[in-house]
Amino acid sequence: MQQCFKNAYICNDVTNSLRSMKKILLIVYLLFFIKSFDSFALLKGSFGGTVIDNITKKPIEGASIYVSDMKMGCSTNFLGEFYFSNIREGKHLIEISHIGYATLVLNIDIKGDTKKDFFLIETIIESNAVVVTGVSKATQLKKIPFQISVMRKQDLMQTSSMNIIESITHKAGVSSISSGPAVSKPLIRGLGYNRILTINDGVRQEGQQWGDEHGIEIDDASVNKIEVLKGPASLVYGSDAMAGVINIISNVPVQDKTLKMNVGSNFQSNNNLRTFNGNISGNKNGFNWNVYGTFKKAADYKNKYDGFVFNSKFNERNFGGYAGVNKGWGFSHIILSNFDLNTGLVEGERDSLGNFVKTISGDSIQTVNAADFKTSNPYYPYQHIRHFKIASDNSLKLGLHHLTFNVGWQQNRREEFGNPDNPTERALFFNLKTITYTSQFHFKEVNGWKNSLGLTGMFQSNENLGIEQLIPDYHSTDNGMFVFSQKEYHKINFSGGIRFDNRSIRAKALKDGNFEKGQAFEKHFSNFSGSAGIAYPVSSSVNIKLNIARAFRAPSIPELASNGAHEGTIRYEYGNKNLKSEISTQGDAALEYNSTHFSLNVSGFINQFQNFIFYRKLQRISGGDSMISVNGSELTAFQFDQEKALLAGAEMILDIHPHPIDWLHIENTFSLVSGTFQTSIEGSKYLPFIPAPRLITECRGNFKKWGNFLKNVYAKFEIDNTFNQDHPFTAYNTETTTKGYTLFNAGFGGDVYSNKNKQLLSLYFTASNLTDVTYQNHLSRLKYAAVNNVTNRQGVFNIGRNFGIKINIPIGFNL
């Protein structure tokens, strides 16, 4: 790490004004710490009670109780009882949930030995939850003025997907750019890449997310919960969060005095995907820990048009966990994870008979044989991605105040291999190292005002270790400071704040051997961002949300300084050092209606961009496209540019739980987004990478008990209808129109219990694309692969019919 950041001058890039604010904030922290030290050991209380069915008045076994700010959780026994000892006195946000019941969220004032009874209402419709994304501390979902979607572990287990990002694309407004089964990049309301920030256990994930073929380096089997914020989030997170945030939570402490193990497996038929994962967690008198590991491998997937798609195979090995302590004063955790993926890069080249081919030694071409499709070891070209992360996550109660801080170090290594004559030769090798820090001081509540002061930053360094260079070696520094406030007044919840950020970049000269093809430079970007919004519960059933936000994003290194062949996009790419920061102003509105048997959520947004960054084709002075010769191939030259742009869209979720058919649940999810340039470019006014409109209808049956041995049983049938995308960005042949398609999916599963009422295992069966429809998603990069000269179809099509089975075996002990 010292070698990576030996150029200490990067820490001096921040402006004098920001240095002053940092000093002021540190002084404030120190003063409050000194002031609160004498009350640091305030009385410790306890909290217990019983969770009861509101109708039958019977106790609910297995209900989950979670104290958000303390990261403490437990579950009820067969009498519906629970108990927390050693919990600090004061107000705590408590979340009580169980499958088939509406989540109950309450602010409980714990004083001494506090006991309460809680009544849960039976429903499938989830209208409330506790979230931590986009706000300074844990808050009820219905009190937040912007849209957040939540997926829990149970939802993820019932979803069929090849990677973690594909798991969340069924949520309204969320889609993905895919480069095959192993690599998917998230889009929120039509915006992706560096406009979305991914958070994992409190640390922003930095893994070269600017590239089309760069995925999210997080083990999907380790995930416990995902929160997706849709809309500008620069206020709390700074640059790179202007389109939204994906917050992935992996490590959650288990109940005190318990040891729990889980062993799981996932098999999918289409590409012979095999996943084996396990974890073991413990908690003894506040000392808690978790260790997990995953092994995954898959062969090539298939569809009716292409047969097996050569080199779509991958294998993955991951491990991680955490260890720490939770006490009345707060918690302190050390988190570690290691992600290791080998995945093929699909080129789609075929011979005169339409068979896939591969390049072998001596630059010869060979037809792929049947055995080549079955292995899970990728062929050339392929990429090897390793991501290591270690972080310290902490929360301290300082009297009536609260301090949280997180410091993380991560290293992302992406290697691309493409030479059969020299198997160890790395065409590209990005070695990215990042230090991040975030700190928030939450002042005690005064007259209903909840105020927080935050400081965040990042130090980053990247070096090229391959034989080719697309971007230069660089150092960058981010620093930001924000103020966030929340207030509830006559049931109206106000929240908002303001933030200032500075980003400094020092890039070295970009070289091609001994030839310098890009000069060294230094750039600085500073800007303000902010938001303000309200959530107003008109009645117990109706909630209205309004929010306006100003966000910004500093240009990324590829946008500023790239100069080379970007093989994944089949273009030669030039950066533009004159780019300015993107500025967006977005307004959001939402209407929510919730009752026992009916739920409706309608939301809309409009987002105006200044300096929207995209790439345009370069032309020769003499006319025609500018072409660059690279290793005998002619690539079209592109350069990043900026224009004014406008995005608008709407989402609707209609959820019906009809009476008296209480087991039936019908959910309809519709998403629509449109993006246009203010000025047409080569006759095209539409923004690139805008997803097609989509309507998903799911019919689902839920049964608490089925027979003597099955509980929490579900069965679902889904119609996934994606409409035509008739408004692509046609300039420079970037995109083409895409036909719509309809997929039929299904699933069923539940928990298996012994005759002694002990859970033995959980089983989940999934079926995707039941009718084996052959289709291309508009955002699939494989759509633009080579033409099959036999069928005249361009590109590669998406995965065909696929059956899956997941199994999870829980094992628990008392300590």
Side-chain angles (χ1 to χ4, degrees):
M1 186 173 67
Q2 291 178 349
Q3 176 67 26
C4 175
F5 296 106
K6 63 182 180 180
N7 297 314
Y9 56 75
I10 64 173
C11 298
N12 297 320
D13 290 337
V14 188
T15 59
N16 290 331
S17 59
L18 192 56
R19 287 198 193 101
S20 299
M21 286 191 290
K22 288 171 62 179
K23 291 178 181 178
I24 292 172
L25 184 58
L26 291 173
I27 292 172
V28 170
Y29 282 172
L30 182 61
L31 289 175
F32 272 99
F33 184 83
I34 295 172
K35 181 178 181 296
S36 305
F37 188 81
D38 58 349
S39 59
F40 195 75
L42 284 178
L43 292 176
K44 298 172 183 177
S46 64
F47 175 51
T50 306
V51 180
I52 303 168
D53 186 295
N54 188 60
I55 301 298
T56 66
K57 308 305 179 185
K58 294 182 179 180
I60 300 175
E61 181 182 2
S64 174
I65 298 89
Y66 190 66
V67 185
S68 301
D69 61 336
M70 303 293 292
K71 284 194 176 181
M72 298 172 64
C74 70
S75 58
T76 55
N77 60 20
F78 70 99
L79 296 175
E81 299 171 338
F82 69 92
Y83 183 76
F84 290 98
S85 61
N86 198 28
I87 187 170
R88 191 173 186 80
E89 289 189 335
K91 288 185 177 181
H92 296 274
L93 191 64
I94 310 294
E95 182 180 30
I96 304 173
S97 61
H98 191 279
I99 298 173
Y101 292 90
T103 298
L104 186 63
V105 180
L106 298 168
N107 276 294
I108 305 295
D109 192 3
I110 296 175
K111 293 181 179 179
D113 187 14
T114 303
K115 291 186 177 181
K116 290 181 179 293
D117 292 336
F118 301 93
F119 295 86
L120 296 187
I121 299 174
E122 185 176 346
T123 181
I124 302 176
I125 300 171
E126 179 56 78
S127 60
N128 197 24
V130 172
V131 294
V132 298
T133 308
V135 289
S136 61
K137 60 190 302 185
T139 306
Q140 287 179 260
L141 184 59
K142 66 181 182 181
K143 294 183 178 182
I144 296 175
F146 35 78
Q147 294 294 294
I148 294 181
S149 295
V150 178
M151 287 192 75
R152 301 181 186 275
K153 183 73 172 181
Q154 189 79 6
D155 304 318
L156 295 170
M157 293 297 290
Q158 296 176 10
T159 302
S160 176
S161 64
M162 301 286 178
N163 59 70
I164 189 62
I165 297 303
E166 289 300 322
S167 299
I168 62 177
T169 56
H170 280 53
K171 291 297 182 180
V174 184
S175 51
S176 69
I177 293 177
S178 66
S179 300
V183 177
S184 295
K185 300 181 66 62
L187 272 79
I188 298 177
R189 292 176 169 177
L191 295 173
Y193 299 91
N194 280 56
R195 299 182 182 100
I196 292 178
L197 192 62
T198 301
I199 306 290
N200 183 213
D201 289 327
V203 181
R204 59 180 289 168
Q205 190 83 358
E206 286 296 313
Q208 302 155 29
Q209 55 268 30
W210 47 268
D212 285 340
E213 69 280 24
H214 303 178
I216 303 299
E217 305 87 353
I218 295 174
D219 179 12
D220 52 356
S222 71
V223 177
N224 275 284
K225 183 181 178 183
I226 303 176
E227 298 175 358
V228 182
L229 187 158
K230 293 174 283 188
S234 293
L235 169 59
V236 175
Y237 301 102
S239 178
D240 300 346
M242 70 183 318
V245 174
I246 297 175
N247 185 18
I248 299 175
I249 301 168
S250 299
N251 294 297
V252 177
V254 298
Q255 188 170 338
D256 192 21
K257 299 180 181 179
T258 61
L259 178 70
K260 291 187 176 181
M261 293 185 288
N262 286 278
V263 179
S265 181
N266 176 19
F267 173 78
Q268 297 189 33
S269 63
N270 187 283
N271 61 350
N272 199 26
L273 171 68
R274 290 142 291 168
T275 301
F276 302 94
N277 63 278
N279 81 290
I280 179 169
S281 305
N283 192 339
K284 179 69 171 179
N285 297 327
F287 175 72
N288 51 91
W289 50 272
N290 176 46
V291 178
Y292 67 83
T294 298
F295 173 74
K296 180 191 296 187
K297 61 180 180 178
D300 292 327
Y301 77 84
K302 62 183 177 180
N303 59 60
K304 286 196 299 186
Y305 284 173
D306 300 308
F308 287 99
V309 176
F310 179 61
N311 216 27
S312 58
K313 54 180 63 70
F314 64 94
N315 59 72
E316 191 177 310
R317 297 172 179 84
N318 312 314
F319 68 85
Y322 86 98
V325 60
N326 289 56
K327 294 292 185 180
W329 48 262
F331 64 84
S332 180
H333 296 159
I334 298 295
I335 302 168
L336 182 144
S337 66
N338 188 78
F339 178 91
D340 193 322
L341 169 68
N342 284 280
T343 179
L345 297 173
V346 177
E347 295 186 313
E349 297 288 346
R350 295 171 238 220
D351 61 19
S352 59
L353 299 177
N355 300 311
F356 285 101
V357 297
K358 62 182 181 180
T359 303
I360 60 176
S361 298
D363 206 27
S364 299
I365 302 297
Q366 184 181 86
T367 301
V368 175
N369 59 47
D372 291 327
F373 295 120
K374 303 301 182 182
T375 177
S376 61
N377 295 317
Y379 192 73
Y380 307 98
Y382 72 93
Q383 57 182 351
H384 184 199
I385 302 168
R386 290 168 290 172
H387 193 99
F388 178 81
K389 176 173 56 187
I390 185 168
S392 175
D393 189 28
N394 307 274
S395 175
L396 302 175
K397 289 286 187 178
L398 304 178
L400 298 178
H401 312 287
H402 185 198
L403 173 66
T404 63
F405 59 95
N406 184 300
V407 179
W409 181 85
Q410 54 192 307
Q411 180 181 26
N412 184 280
R413 290 173 288 177
R414 178 179 174 268
E415 303 166 273
E416 186 172 311
F417 300 84
N419 187 357
D421 292 312
N422 187 357
T424 62
E425 179 184 273
R426 301 172 177 89
L428 293 173
F429 187 175
F430 300 113
N431 186 23
L432 180 70
K433 299 178 182 179
T434 308
I435 292 176
T436 58
Y437 66 89
T438 156
S439 177
Q440 296 184 29
F441 192 95
H442 309 286
F443 297 90
K444 69 176 182 180
E445 184 175 329
V446 178
N447 297 326
W449 283 100
K450 301 175 183 177
N451 301 312
S452 301
L453 191 63
L455 181 68
T456 64
M458 179 174 70
F459 304 99
Q460 189 170 87
S461 174
N462 183 74
E463 60 179 333
N464 289 281
L465 301 177
I467 63 172
E468 301 175 9
Q469 290 192 12
L470 173 61
I471 60 174
D473 295 351
Y474 71 89
H475 300 278
S476 69
T477 303
D478 282 25
N479 284 280
M481 179 180 177
F482 68 90
V483 177
F484 188 91
S485 296
Q486 293 173 284
K487 165 74 172 178
E488 185 172 349
Y489 180 75
H490 293 301
K491 295 186 178 181
I492 302 178
N493 296 280
F494 299 89
S495 62
I498 191 169
R499 177 187 181 104
F500 177 76
D501 280 276
N502 174 276
R503 171 172 290 180
S504 299
I505 300 174
R506 293 181 185 271
K508 296 182 179 180
L510 183 61
K511 294 185 178 182
D512 184 1
N514 294 323
F515 172 71
E516 185 176 302
K517 60 179 181 178
Q519 295 180 345
F521 68 91
E522 180 179 340
K523 300 287 288 187
H524 303 273
F525 301 92
S526 298
N527 225 306
F528 286 91
S529 54
S531 70
I534 62 168
Y536 174 42
V538 179
S539 66
S540 60
S541 300
V542 179
N543 195 34
I544 295 174
K545 296 183 176 185
L546 298 171
N547 193 69
I548 186 168
R550 181 186 190 272
F552 89 100
R553 181 182 73 89
S556 66
I557 274 289
E559 293 165 340
L560 291 168
S562 58
N563 187 338
H566 198 164
E567 301 291 351
T569 54
I570 321 175
R571 65 175 184 257
Y572 195 95
E573 189 175 283
Y574 288 103
N576 184 348
K577 295 184 182 66
N578 297 319
L579 293 177
K580 300 177 182 178
S581 294
E582 287 184 334
I583 305 293
S584 76
T585 304
Q586 177 165 318
D588 286 85
L591 172 65
E592 300 172 347
Y593 175 82
N594 293 288
S595 66
T596 304
H597 301 289
F598 180 81
S599 174
L600 176 66
N601 186 317
V602 180
S603 60
F605 70 94
I606 185 167
N607 192 353
Q608 185 173 4
F609 267 86
Q610 301 289 329
N611 308 321
F612 184 87
I613 298 175
F614 68 105
Y615 50 80
R616 66 161 67 240
K617 186 184 293 184
L618 295 179
Q619 294 185 336
R620 295 190 181 98
I621 297 177
S622 58
D625 296 338
S626 176
M627 306 295 293
I628 306 294
S629 179
V630 179
N631 298 326
S633 299
E634 294 290 319
L635 298 180
T636 305
F638 288 81
Q639 185 174 40
F640 286 98
D641 203 349
Q642 294 183 302
E643 290 286 349
K644 292 183 178 180
L646 181 71
L647 284 96
E651 293 138 19
M652 183 189 74
I653 303 173
L654 174 62
D655 207 332
I656 303 171
H657 181 205
H659 183 75
I661 315 175
D662 294 326
W663 53 267
L664 180 62
H665 160 80
I666 304 171
E667 181 180 271
N668 300 275
T669 303
F670 178 72
S671 303
L672 171 69
V673 61
S674 172
T676 57
F677 289 106
Q678 180 173 297
T679 303
S680 295
I681 300 169
E682 275 201 348
S684 180
K685 65 178 181 179
Y686 299 105
L687 296 184
F689 308 121
I690 298 297
R694 189 181 186 191
L695 172 64
I696 302 174
T697 299
E698 179 186 278
C699 296
R700 179 187 183 96
N702 279 68
F703 309 92
K704 290 183 181 179
K705 189 175 182 180
W706 195 342
N708 295 325
F709 304 105
L710 296 178
K711 293 184 179 181
N712 303 319
V713 177
Y714 77 95
K716 65 178 181 180
F717 181 76
E718 179 184 87
I719 304 173
D720 186 347
N721 186 29
T722 299
F723 297 88
N724 295 338
Q725 177 50 284
D726 297 323
H727 303 302
F729 180 57
T730 57
Y732 323 130
N733 297 319
T734 302
E735 292 182 316
T736 59
T737 58
T738 306
K739 293 182 179 180
Y741 51 89
T742 300
L743 306 180
F744 297 96
N745 310 313
F748 67 94
D751 302 327
V752 181
Y753 279 73
S754 70
N755 55 8
K756 296 183 179 179
N757 201 34
K758 180 179 180 181
Q759 184 178 353
L760 301 177
L761 55 88
S762 298
L763 272 175
Y764 308 90
F765 297 92
T766 61
S768 304
N769 194 3
L770 279 166
T771 56
D772 204 18
V773 172
T774 309
Y775 69 99
Q776 287 179 323
N777 186 286
H778 182 69
L779 299 177
S780 171
R781 287 183 54 252
L782 304 186
K783 178 186 173 189
Y784 301 100
V787 174
N788 184 338
N789 291 321
V790 175
T791 63
N792 289 321
R793 299 187 184 105
Q794 179 172 6
V796 171
F797 288 75
N798 288 72
I799 192 168
R801 184 186 294 116
N802 186 28
F803 296 100
I805 178 172
K806 294 181 183 179
I807 183 171
N808 184 68
I809 302 173
I811 304 171
F813 303 95
N814 293 325
L815 295 177

